[in-house]
Amino acid sequence: MTDQALEAATAIVRAAHEAPEKRPTIAGFFDENTYTVTYVVHDAETKQAAIIDSVLDYDQASGRTGFESAERVLDYVTEKGLEVEWVMETHAHADHLSAAPYLQEKLGGKLAIGKDIVRVQDVFGKIFNAGTDFERDGSQFDHLFTDGERFSIGTLEGIALHVPGHTPADMAYIVGDAAFVGDTMFMPDYGTARADFPGGCARQLYQSIRRLLQLPEETRIFLCHDYKAPGRDDYAWESTVALQRAHNVHVHDGVSEDEFVEMRTSRDATLAMPQLIMPSVQVNIRGGHLPEPEDNGVSYIKIPVNKL
């Protein structure tokens, strides 16, 4: 069966490679506390912009939130005179809280995620016993992307690709010659994302990554995290399809699906849960909003005992 969405994404990348004006201007903001990169992607001609995978500061010991990471993004958008069209999430993160509501309040834009967020909401709604008041229909977001859905940022062409495996709802966003791939893969020397969260699947992850690696070799790949592989001194979050295909330690050309699944499954069994998974998931499935305050006006994060 022809992958029409991938063909469309390939056409967008090639057109941007041939015409510089079709390439986005990209700024990355690295949060070392969560090893997360937030991107501001904008069209130089119209100053229209998207924010991808924002970070809300959260101190686990005190339960206090902060906006230092988000303010860096806000300052950049203001300094450059950008108008935010989109506030996008590649998935419901398990390692940091989203600052989307704060940035929307300050800058506007439509909050978007993949349509399969409803599956993640259903799974984690049950795990956290969220109750009937918690809607599991994606209504906390302004837009739910489908696979192959086109969008624009000013005059820049974009397309959303569904790339499940890490979670059921992961999306990659192709904008011009750039691909924002979320938690599918990391820098070539670090490998790929885990696939053992509820709803994750190592086999799906392999297929999603190989799908992305069919994009033109010159496609710029922007990663959501970097954990600085042993032997590397600096954090990095930009690669290319060519580099990933040649050098990714988990999924380079020649690694079979069965080999990857065996490796990923064995490796995931040794990994601890992310430090911020409890607050992150409960907030992020709500579009970055805290759980509804209780009768004393305070929001609470639940910790299911012996469940995850």
Side-chain angles (χ1 to χ4, degrees):
M1 181 181 296
T2 301
D3 189 337
Q4 294 181 340
L6 183 62
E7 288 183 352
T10 297
I12 289 172
V13 171
R14 286 179 174 157
H17 186 67
E18 295 171 0
E21 68 273 12
K22 295 184 177 182
R23 301 175 197 167
T25 300
I26 300 166
F29 299 85
F30 186 69
D31 175 51
E32 193 166 345
N33 290 324
T34 62
Y35 308 102
T36 304
V37 192
T38 298
Y39 295 102
V40 178
V41 185
H42 82 266
D43 174 18
E45 179 181 341
T46 65
K47 300 290 187 178
Q48 298 291 304
I51 299 169
I52 302 176
D53 290 337
S54 62
V55 174
L56 178 71
D57 302 315
Y58 180 77
D59 180 72
Q60 190 171 26
S62 66
R64 300 197 69 85
T65 59
F67 303 103
E68 183 178 347
S69 296
E71 287 290 342
R72 293 167 59 204
V73 174
L74 178 60
D75 289 347
Y76 176 84
V77 169
T78 303
E79 176 189 338
K80 298 295 183 181
L82 306 180
E83 182 178 351
V84 175
E85 284 190 272
W86 294 99
V87 180
M88 308 169 87
E89 303 286 355
T90 55
H91 63 294
H93 307 272
D95 42 32
H96 72 272
L97 284 66
S98 170
Y102 179 78
L103 291 170
Q104 271 194 300
E105 180 184 353
K106 300 291 185 181
L107 299 169
K110 292 183 290 186
L111 176 58
I113 199 167
K115 72 176 183 65
D116 284 295
I117 186 62
V118 298
R119 294 178 56 194
V120 179
Q121 289 175 328
D122 185 56
V123 169
F124 281 100
K126 293 173 182 174
I127 288 174
F128 290 110
N129 197 28
T132 56
D133 289 341
F134 171 56
E135 299 292 343
R136 295 160 169 82
D137 58 2
S139 58
Q140 300 84 353
F141 300 84
D142 301 313
H143 187 81
L144 302 181
F145 278 112
T146 59
D147 184 53
E149 183 177 348
R150 291 175 178 266
F151 62 93
S152 63
I153 303 172
T155 64
L156 300 174
E157 289 187 88
I159 190 169
L161 297 180
H162 185 213
V163 286
H166 175 62
T167 79
D170 280 64
M171 301 297 289
Y173 301 114
I174 315 302
V175 182
D177 67 333
F180 301 88
V181 300
D183 283 17
T184 54
M185 61 188 120
F186 304 132
M187 289 299 288
D189 59 358
Y190 201 87
T192 59
R194 65 195 299 167
D196 61 332
F197 294 148
C201 175
R203 199 165 295 279
Q204 277 192 328
L205 180 61
Y206 178 89
Q207 293 165 3
S208 293
I209 292 172
R210 296 311 305 180
R211 186 187 193 201
L212 289 169
L213 295 183
Q214 291 179 63
L215 289 167
E217 290 192 344
E218 64 270 18
T219 307
R220 294 184 290 164
I221 292 182
F222 291 88
L223 313 168
C224 190
H225 298 287
D226 184 51
Y227 302 99
K228 203 161 59 175
R232 175 154 53 86
D233 295 328
D234 299 315
Y235 291 108
W237 47 83
E238 181 179 350
S239 184
T240 65
V241 165
L243 287 172
Q244 294 285 355
R245 291 185 63 165
H247 301 296
N248 188 290
V249 294
H250 293 166
V251 72
H252 59 78
D253 286 355
V255 175
S256 73
E257 183 172 320
D258 287 342
E259 289 171 334
F260 176 83
V261 170
E262 182 179 0
M263 177 282 301
R264 189 70 265 170
T265 303
S266 299
R267 180 176 173 83
D268 288 350
T270 71
L271 301 178
M273 284 288 101
Q275 186 175 7
L276 294 181
I277 187 171
M278 298 299 181
S280 294
V281 172
Q282 289 175 77
V283 168
N284 294 338
I285 61 177
R286 291 175 165 87
H289 292 280
L290 297 174
E292 284 295 317
E294 298 191 8
D295 55 11
N296 61 355
V298 178
S299 293
Y300 289 87
I301 299 293
K302 292 182 178 180
I303 299 178
V305 178
N306 298 326
K307 181 65 175 177
L308 293 176

